Amino acid sequence: RGEKMIITSEQIAYAAGLLDGEGCIHISRHPTRSGERYGLTVMIQMTVSEPLMFMQDLFGGVLRPAKKPTNKQQWYWGLCSKEAVPLLEQVLPYLKIKYIEAAIALLFQETFKQDYPKSGNSHPVLPENILAIRKFCCEECRTEKRFNA
């Protein structure tokens, strides 16, 4: 991806529609011995791979067959952490259903912009306020999913 591709507003609107209709914005919590870690994943899974190839062409990410086979072949496309930020920033104005989840995810990713000193296990030692924001974003994203279900 050496050359920067120009993305049209129609392509962004289409990407937003795919994310709104078939996608998932997820902030996960991972308990560890040294505390909790959180991560962002934006993904779309569907039986047709062409729209996911479109997403990969525009935003990068991983495209692969889904792990759990069903009657029909499923495809998975996803972005993690800071890779998801350009997508979320661009589709945010077009989202109808996942607007709040996307805004929460962008706030969540803001907490990763500063470097923190690392402990012995190479994970950064985070200030309590940063952990509290990440936990809040994780819980609010989950609540928003229940509200939209």
Side-chain angles (χ1 to χ4, degrees):
R1 293 186 55 125
E3 237 177 80
K4 189 105 171 143
M5 185 166 36
I6 297 171
I7 303 174
T8 66
S9 59
E10 290 83 5
Q11 290 171 316
I12 298 296
Y14 180 72
L18 282 174
L19 185 57
D20 249 354
E22 301 292 333
C24 176
I25 299 170
H26 180 69
I27 298 173
S28 56
R29 179 181 152 269
H30 308 281
T32 66
R33 279 185 242 145
S34 59
E36 294 180 332
R37 294 179 57 212
Y38 293 88
L40 170 65
T41 305
V42 176
M43 66 186 108
I44 301 173
Q45 189 166 316
M46 44 195 318
T47 58
V48 180
S49 64
E50 286 79 5
L52 303 180
M53 288 184 217
F54 166 84
M55 294 296 282
Q56 187 179 42
D57 286 345
L58 259 55
F59 302 104
V62 174
L63 175 62
R64 61 173 165 71
K67 289 181 180 175
K68 294 184 180 178
T70 59
N71 292 346
K72 252 184 143 176
Q73 173 65 59
Q74 293 262 326
W75 295 91
Y76 166 95
W77 169 82
L79 293 167
C80 293
S81 307
K82 66 182 176 188
E83 291 179 347
V85 170
L87 164 70
L88 293 174
E89 288 175 339
Q90 290 179 68
V91 300
L92 189 67
Y94 297 94
L95 293 173
K96 303 293 182 205
I97 297 165
K98 293 186 171 65
Y99 179 89
I100 293 174
E101 288 175 55
I104 292 168
L106 287 169
L107 171 64
F108 173 80
Q109 275 307 125
E110 281 290 314
T111 70
F112 288 87
K113 286 192 171 178
Q114 184 175 344
D115 286 331
Y116 298 101
K118 300 202 187 258
S119 65
N121 64 3
S122 82
H123 294 297
V125 179
L126 300 175
E128 285 300 317
N129 64 326
I130 296 297
L131 278 174
I133 293 169
R134 290 181 186 180
K135 181 178 182 179
F136 173 80
C137 290
C138 181
E139 291 168 354
E140 287 302 306
C141 198
R142 191 172 302 126
T143 299
E144 189 60 26
K145 283 182 194 322
R146 281 191 230 120
F147 180 74
N148 286 328

